[in-house]
């Protein structure tokens, strides 16, 4: 997935979403990104103007946090291939930081046009951390590394690399697409895990629901759907069941529920943490379909469902769909709210509420 700050001049994320590319508004500033530790296999940054060495290297420490052990950081910027004093000072700072982080350079090349790139790799064990001459940056306190990264300040520390009890190195996930259907190994950092039986049951249930009902019996025109959001993603079963469709799914894990986002990333899917009592970090009218499975009951004690529905209306494209699976009591609460937005609504089997956003505008 791609992420960038809100930019009123270029609107890079809005442009990416219009093209049907997974994208998200985010910025590396003073708070952690809304991703779990060890999430991404590779991080790429070309022509980016992030000052990685700022505040003792805290922005780069944040990349280290979300990069999987053994993962790669690909960086192409003027300090990599220019020799003026300013760029060389930045490059020297990066050399010092990456050595302190135990990252190794696996490639550094320049093309015929003189544009250069460097590729770093994160270590797969804690042996280098423990063997450093200076404990700077220090290793993180274990219990803090398990906190959900939501309104969390950046840490000046290196999270320990989770390693299996049977070995000294963190293992890489199996190849795609087998990775999607393979139960992630039990984590060694105390975060949530799922048994093989529950994983199989969850996968089978979503495969049946999507193939037998969602795709063929709810009246949704899936040929017009590209950008999809699962508002309460669980273990990512809904997204996994749609993997053969020409679309992508943003898996949202609510912060007040079980922290399943590491499992979603281990399966090779993408997602973010979010609190649905707040606005979601995207531009208006950027998603073609919103899916909600038993989400709203957990929100009623903290925020007004009318405001949640208005946020859904903001991010849904005109002509887009909303698919709600919930109890009949909750559906009866939500349906009048969604009708008040001038959406078309249809109830199927007393379990599924299907809505379509029209082109209505207020009268002049």
């Amino acid at each position: 997935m791609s992420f960038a700050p809100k930019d009123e001049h270029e609107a890079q994320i809005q442009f990416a979403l219009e093209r049907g590319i997974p994208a998200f508004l985010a910025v590396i500033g003073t708070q952690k990104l809304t991703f779990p530790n060890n999430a991404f296999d590779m991080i790429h940054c070309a022509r980016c103007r992030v000052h990685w060495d700022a505040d003792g290297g805290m922005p780069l420490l944040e990349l280290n946090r979300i990069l999987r052990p053994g993962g790669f950081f690909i960086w192409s910027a003027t300090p990599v291939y220019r020799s003026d004093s300013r760029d060389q000072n930045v490059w020297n700072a990066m050399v010092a930081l990456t050595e302190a982080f135990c990252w190794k350079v696996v490639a550094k090349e320049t093309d015929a046009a003189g544009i250069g790139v460097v590729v770093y790799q994160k270590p797969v064990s804690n042996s280098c951390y423990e063997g450093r001459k200076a404990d700077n940056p220090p290793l993180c306190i274990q219990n803090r590394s398990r906190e959900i990264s939501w309104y969390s300040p950046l840490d000046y520390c290196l999270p320990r690399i989770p390693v299996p009890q049977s070995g000294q190195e963190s293992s890489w996930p199996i190849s795609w697409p087998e990775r999607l259907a393979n139960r992630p190994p039990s984590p060694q950092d105390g975060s949530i895990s799922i048994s093989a039986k529950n994983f199989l049951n969850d996968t089978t249930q979503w495969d049946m629901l999507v193939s037998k009902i969602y795709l063929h019996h709810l009246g949704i025109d899936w040929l017009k759907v590209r950008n999809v959001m699962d508002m309460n993603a669980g273990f990512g079963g809904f997204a996994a069941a749609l993997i053969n469709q020409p679309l992508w799914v943003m898996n949202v894990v609510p912060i007040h529920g079980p922290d399943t986002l590491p499992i979603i990333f281990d399966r090779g899917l993408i997602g973010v943490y979010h609190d649905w009592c707040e606005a979601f970090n995207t531009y208006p009218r950027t998603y073609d379909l919103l899916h909600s499975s038993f989400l709203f009951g957990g929100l009623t004690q903290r925020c007004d469902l009318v405001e949640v529905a208005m946020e859904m209306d903001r991010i849904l494209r005109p002509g887009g769909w909303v698919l709600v699976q919930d109890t009949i009591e909750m559906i009866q609460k939500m349906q009048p709210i969604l009708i008040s937005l001038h959406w078309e609504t249809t109830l199927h089997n007393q379990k599924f509420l299907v809505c379509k956003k029209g082109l209505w505008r207020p009268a002049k």
Side-chain angles (χ1 to χ4, degrees), residues 58-107:
M58 289 181 71
L60 197 63
L61 276 167
E62 177 62 1
L63 284 199
N64 180 80
R65 181 186 71 82
I66 64 174
L67 188 62
R68 182 181 299 280
F72 300 92
F73 174 46
I74 302 176
W75 184 42
S76 179
T78 54
V80 178
Y81 55 88
R82 287 185 180 173
S83 57
D84 59 87
S85 59
R86 177 184 175 278
D87 286 318
Q88 280 302 297
N89 288 337
V90 175
W91 173 253
N92 292 335
M94 280 290 287
V95 170
L97 283 173
T98 53
E99 289 179 352
F101 296 0
C102 295
W103 287 8
K104 67 177 181 180
V105 176
V106 295

Coordinates of all heavy atoms in Angstrom, one line a residue, residues 58-107:
M58 N 14.5 9.3 14.9 CA 13.2 8.7 15.3 C 12.3 8.4 14.1 O 11.6 7.4 14.1 CB 12.5 9.6 16.3 CG 13.2 9.6 17.6 SD 12.3 10.7 18.9 CE 10.8 9.8 19.2
P59 N 12.3 9.2 13.0 CA 11.5 8.8 11.8 C 12.0 7.4 11.3 O 11.2 6.6 10.9 CB 11.7 9.9 10.8 CG 12.0 11.1 11.7 CD 12.8 10.6 12.8
L60 N 13.3 7.2 11.2 CA 13.8 6.0 10.7 C 13.6 4.8 11.7 O 13.4 3.7 11.3 CB 15.3 6.1 10.4 CG 15.9 5.0 9.5 CD1 15.3 5.0 8.1 CD2 17.5 5.1 9.4
L61 N 13.6 5.1 13.0 CA 13.2 4.1 14.0 C 11.8 3.6 13.8 O 11.5 2.5 14.0 CB 13.4 4.7 15.4 CG 14.8 4.6 16.0 CD1 14.9 5.5 17.2 CD2 15.2 3.2 16.3
E62 N 10.9 4.6 13.3 CA 9.5 4.2 13.1 C 9.4 3.2 11.9 O 8.7 2.3 11.9 CB 8.7 5.4 12.8 CG 7.2 5.1 12.5 CD 6.4 4.4 13.6 OE1 7.0 4.1 14.7 OE2 5.2 4.1 13.4
L63 N 10.2 3.5 10.8 CA 10.3 2.5 9.7 C 10.8 1.2 10.2 O 10.3 0.1 9.8 CB 11.2 3.0 8.6 CG 10.7 4.1 7.7 CD1 11.5 4.2 6.4 CD2 9.2 4.0 7.4
N64 N 11.8 1.2 11.1 CA 12.4 -0.1 11.6 C 11.3 -0.8 12.4 O 11.2 -2.1 12.3 CB 13.5 0.2 12.5 CG 14.2 -1.0 13.1 OD1 14.9 -1.7 12.5 ND2 13.8 -1.3 14.4
R65 N 10.4 -0.1 13.1 CA 9.4 -0.8 13.9 C 8.4 -1.5 13.0 O 8.0 -2.7 13.3 CB 8.6 0.3 14.7 CG 7.5 -0.3 15.6 CD 6.7 0.8 16.3 NE 5.8 1.5 15.4 CZ 4.6 1.1 15.0 NH1 4.2 -0.1 15.4 NH2 3.9 1.8 14.1
I66 N 8.0 -0.9 11.9 CA 6.9 -1.6 11.1 C 7.5 -2.5 10.0 O 6.8 -3.2 9.3 CB 6.0 -0.5 10.4 CG1 6.8 0.4 9.4 CG2 5.3 0.3 11.5 CD1 5.9 1.3 8.6
L67 N 8.8 -2.6 9.9 CA 9.5 -3.4 8.9 C 9.7 -4.8 9.5 O 10.2 -5.0 10.6 CB 10.8 -2.9 8.5 CG 11.6 -3.5 7.3 CD1 10.7 -3.4 6.0 CD2 12.9 -2.9 7.1
R68 N 9.3 -5.9 8.7 CA 9.5 -7.2 9.2 C 10.9 -7.6 9.3 O 11.8 -7.2 8.5 CB 8.8 -8.2 8.2 CG 8.8 -9.6 8.5 CD 8.2 -10.5 7.4 NE 6.8 -10.1 7.2 CZ 5.8 -10.5 8.0 NH1 6.1 -11.3 9.0 NH2 4.6 -10.2 7.8
P69 N 11.3 -8.4 10.3 CA 12.7 -8.9 10.4 C 13.1 -9.6 9.1 O 12.4 -10.4 8.6 CB 12.7 -9.9 11.5 CG 11.5 -9.4 12.4 CD 10.5 -8.9 11.5
G70 N 14.2 -9.2 8.5 CA 14.7 -9.6 7.2 C 14.1 -8.8 6.1 O 14.4 -9.1 4.9
G71 N 13.2 -7.8 6.4 CA 12.6 -7.0 5.4 C 13.6 -6.0 4.8 O 14.6 -5.7 5.4
F72 N 13.1 -5.3 3.7 CA 14.0 -4.4 3.0 C 13.5 -3.0 3.0 O 12.3 -2.8 2.9 CB 14.2 -4.9 1.5 CG 14.8 -6.3 1.4 CD1 14.0 -7.4 1.4 CD2 16.1 -6.5 1.4 CE1 14.5 -8.7 1.3 CE2 16.7 -7.7 1.3 CZ 15.9 -8.8 1.2
F73 N 14.4 -2.0 3.1 CA 14.1 -0.6 2.9 C 14.8 -0.1 1.6 O 16.0 -0.2 1.6 CB 14.5 0.2 4.1 CG 14.3 1.7 3.9 CD1 13.1 2.2 3.4 CD2 15.3 2.6 4.3 CE1 12.9 3.6 3.2 CE2 15.1 4.0 4.1 CZ 14.0 4.4 3.5
I74 N 14.1 0.3 0.6 CA 14.6 0.8 -0.6 C 14.5 2.3 -0.6 O 13.4 2.8 -0.6 CB 13.9 0.1 -1.8 CG1 14.0 -1.4 -1.8 CG2 14.5 0.7 -3.1 CD1 13.2 -2.1 -2.9
W75 N 15.6 3.0 -0.7 CA 15.7 4.4 -0.6 C 16.4 5.0 -1.8 O 17.5 4.6 -2.1 CB 16.4 4.8 0.7 CG 16.4 6.3 1.0 CD1 15.4 7.2 0.8 CD2 17.5 7.0 1.5 NE1 15.8 8.4 1.2 CE2 17.1 8.4 1.6 CE3 18.8 6.7 1.8 CZ2 17.9 9.4 2.1 CZ3 19.7 7.7 2.3 CH2 19.2 9.0 2.4
S76 N 15.7 5.9 -2.5 CA 16.3 6.6 -3.6 C 16.1 8.1 -3.4 O 15.0 8.6 -3.5 CB 15.7 6.2 -5.0 OG 16.3 6.9 -6.0
A77 N 17.2 8.8 -3.1 CA 17.1 10.3 -2.9 C 18.5 10.9 -3.2 O 19.5 10.1 -3.3 CB 16.7 10.6 -1.5
T78 N 18.5 12.2 -3.3 CA 19.8 12.8 -3.7 C 21.0 12.5 -2.8 O 22.1 12.4 -3.3 CB 19.6 14.3 -3.8 OG1 19.1 14.8 -2.5 CG2 18.7 14.7 -4.9
P79 N 20.8 12.3 -1.4 CA 22.0 11.9 -0.6 C 22.6 10.6 -1.0 O 23.8 10.3 -0.7 CB 21.4 11.8 0.8 CG 20.2 12.7 0.8 CD 19.6 12.6 -0.6
V80 N 21.9 9.7 -1.8 CA 22.4 8.4 -2.2 C 23.4 8.6 -3.3 O 24.4 7.9 -3.4 CB 21.3 7.5 -2.6 CG1 21.8 6.2 -3.1 CG2 20.3 7.3 -1.4
Y81 N 23.2 9.6 -4.2 CA 24.0 9.6 -5.4 C 24.6 11.0 -5.7 O 25.3 11.2 -6.7 CB 23.2 9.2 -6.6 CG 21.9 9.9 -6.8 CD1 21.8 11.1 -7.6 CD2 20.7 9.5 -6.3 CE1 20.6 11.8 -7.8 CE2 19.5 10.1 -6.5 CZ 19.5 11.3 -7.2 OH 18.3 12.0 -7.4
R82 N 24.4 12.0 -4.9 CA 25.1 13.3 -5.1 C 26.2 13.5 -4.1 O 26.1 13.0 -3.0 CB 24.1 14.4 -5.0 CG 23.1 14.5 -6.2 CD 22.2 15.7 -6.1 NE 21.3 15.8 -7.3 CZ 20.4 16.7 -7.4 NH1 20.1 17.6 -6.5 NH2 19.6 16.7 -8.5
S83 N 27.2 14.3 -4.5 CA 28.4 14.5 -3.6 C 28.6 15.9 -3.0 O 29.6 16.1 -2.4 CB 29.6 14.1 -4.5 OG 29.7 15.0 -5.6
D84 N 27.5 16.7 -3.1 CA 27.7 18.1 -2.5 C 27.7 17.9 -1.0 O 27.2 16.9 -0.5 CB 26.6 19.0 -3.0 CG 25.2 18.5 -2.7 OD1 24.7 18.8 -1.6 OD2 24.6 17.8 -3.6
S85 N 28.1 18.9 -0.3 CA 28.3 18.8 1.1 C 27.0 18.5 1.9 O 27.0 17.7 2.8 CB 28.9 20.1 1.7 OG 28.1 21.2 1.4
R86 N 25.9 19.2 1.4 CA 24.6 19.0 2.1 C 24.2 17.5 2.0 O 23.8 16.9 3.0 CB 23.5 19.9 1.6 CG 22.2 19.7 2.2 CD 21.1 20.5 1.5 NE 19.8 20.3 1.9 CZ 19.0 19.3 1.5 NH1 19.5 18.5 0.6 NH2 17.8 19.1 2.0
D87 N 24.2 17.0 0.8 CA 23.8 15.6 0.6 C 24.7 14.6 1.3 O 24.3 13.6 1.9 CB 23.7 15.3 -0.9 CG 22.4 15.9 -1.5 OD1 21.4 15.9 -0.9 OD2 22.6 16.4 -2.7
Q88 N 26.0 14.9 1.3 CA 26.9 14.0 2.0 C 26.8 14.0 3.5 O 26.9 13.0 4.1 CB 28.4 14.4 1.6 CG 28.8 13.9 0.2 CD 28.7 12.4 0.1 OE1 29.4 11.7 0.8 NE2 27.9 11.9 -0.8
N89 N 26.4 15.1 4.0 CA 26.1 15.2 5.5 C 24.9 14.3 5.8 O 24.9 13.6 6.8 CB 25.9 16.6 5.9 CG 27.1 17.4 5.9 OD1 28.2 16.9 6.0 ND2 27.0 18.8 5.9
V90 N 23.9 14.3 5.0 CA 22.7 13.5 5.2 C 23.1 12.0 5.0 O 22.7 11.2 5.8 CB 21.6 13.9 4.2 CG1 20.4 12.9 4.4 CG2 21.1 15.3 4.5
W91 N 23.9 11.7 4.0 CA 24.3 10.3 3.8 C 25.1 9.8 5.0 O 24.9 8.7 5.4 CB 25.1 10.2 2.5 CG 25.7 8.9 2.3 CD1 27.0 8.5 2.4 CD2 25.0 7.6 2.0 NE1 27.2 7.2 2.2 CE2 25.9 6.6 1.9 CE3 23.6 7.4 1.7 CZ2 25.6 5.3 1.6 CZ3 23.3 6.0 1.5 CH2 24.3 5.0 1.4
N92 N 26.0 10.6 5.5 CA 26.9 10.2 6.6 C 26.0 9.9 7.8 O 26.3 9.0 8.6 CB 27.9 11.2 6.9 CG 29.0 11.3 5.8 OD1 29.2 10.4 5.1 ND2 29.6 12.5 5.7
A93 N 25.0 10.7 8.0 CA 24.0 10.5 9.1 C 23.3 9.2 9.0 O 23.1 8.5 9.9 CB 23.1 11.7 9.3
M94 N 22.9 8.9 7.7 CA 22.2 7.7 7.5 C 23.1 6.5 7.7 O 22.6 5.4 8.2 CB 21.6 7.6 6.0 CG 20.4 8.4 5.9 SD 18.9 7.6 6.6 CE 18.7 6.2 5.5
V95 N 24.3 6.6 7.3 CA 25.3 5.5 7.6 C 25.4 5.2 9.1 O 25.3 4.0 9.5 CB 26.7 5.8 7.0 CG1 27.7 4.8 7.4 CG2 26.6 5.8 5.4
A96 N 25.5 6.2 9.8 CA 25.6 6.1 11.3 C 24.4 5.4 11.9 O 24.4 4.5 12.7 CB 25.9 7.4 12.0
L97 N 23.2 5.9 11.4 CA 22.0 5.4 12.0 C 21.7 3.9 11.6 O 21.4 3.1 12.4 CB 20.8 6.2 11.4 CG 20.6 7.6 12.1 CD1 19.5 8.3 11.3 CD2 20.2 7.4 13.5
T98 N 21.9 3.6 10.3 CA 21.6 2.2 9.9 C 22.6 1.2 10.5 O 22.2 0.1 10.8 CB 21.7 2.1 8.4 OG1 22.9 2.7 7.9 CG2 20.5 2.9 7.7
E99 N 23.9 1.7 10.8 CA 24.8 0.8 11.5 C 24.3 0.6 12.9 O 24.4 -0.5 13.5 CB 26.2 1.4 11.4 CG 26.8 1.3 10.0 CD 28.2 1.9 10.0 OE1 28.6 2.5 11.0 OE2 28.9 1.7 9.0
A100 N 23.8 1.6 13.6 CA 23.3 1.5 14.9 C 22.1 0.6 15.0 O 21.8 0.0 16.0 CB 23.0 2.9 15.5
F101 N 21.3 0.6 13.9 CA 20.1 -0.2 13.8 C 20.4 -1.7 13.4 O 19.5 -2.5 13.4 CB 19.1 0.3 12.8 CG 18.5 1.7 13.2 CD1 18.9 2.4 14.3 CD2 17.6 2.3 12.3 CE1 18.4 3.6 14.6 CE2 17.1 3.5 12.6 CZ 17.5 4.2 13.8
C102 N 21.7 -1.9 13.1 CA 22.1 -3.2 12.6 C 21.6 -3.6 11.2 O 21.4 -4.7 10.8 CB 21.8 -4.3 13.6 SG 22.7 -4.2 15.1
W103 N 21.2 -2.5 10.4 CA 20.8 -2.8 9.0 C 22.0 -3.0 8.2 O 23.0 -2.3 8.4 CB 20.0 -1.6 8.5 CG 18.6 -1.4 9.0 CD1 18.0 -2.1 10.0 CD2 17.7 -0.5 8.6 NE1 16.8 -1.6 10.3 CE2 16.5 -0.6 9.4 CE3 17.6 0.5 7.6 CZ2 15.3 0.2 9.2 CZ3 16.5 1.3 7.4 CH2 15.4 1.1 8.2
K104 N 21.9 -3.9 7.2 CA 23.1 -4.1 6.3 C 22.7 -3.6 4.9 O 21.5 -3.7 4.5 CB 23.5 -5.5 6.3 CG 22.5 -6.5 5.7 CD 23.1 -7.9 5.6 CE 22.1 -8.9 5.0 NZ 22.7 -10.2 4.9
V105 N 23.7 -3.1 4.2 CA 23.5 -2.6 2.8 C 23.6 -3.8 1.9 O 24.7 -4.5 1.9 CB 24.5 -1.5 2.4 CG1 24.3 -1.2 1.0 CG2 24.3 -0.3 3.3
V106 N 22.5 -4.2 1.2 CA 22.6 -5.3 0.3 C 22.8 -4.9 -1.1 O 23.2 -5.7 -2.0 CB 21.3 -6.2 0.4 CG1 21.2 -6.8 1.8 CG2 20.1 -5.4 0.1
A107 N 22.6 -3.6 -1.4 CA 22.9 -3.1 -2.8 C 22.9 -1.6 -2.7 O 22.2 -1.0 -2.0 CB 21.8 -3.6 -3.7

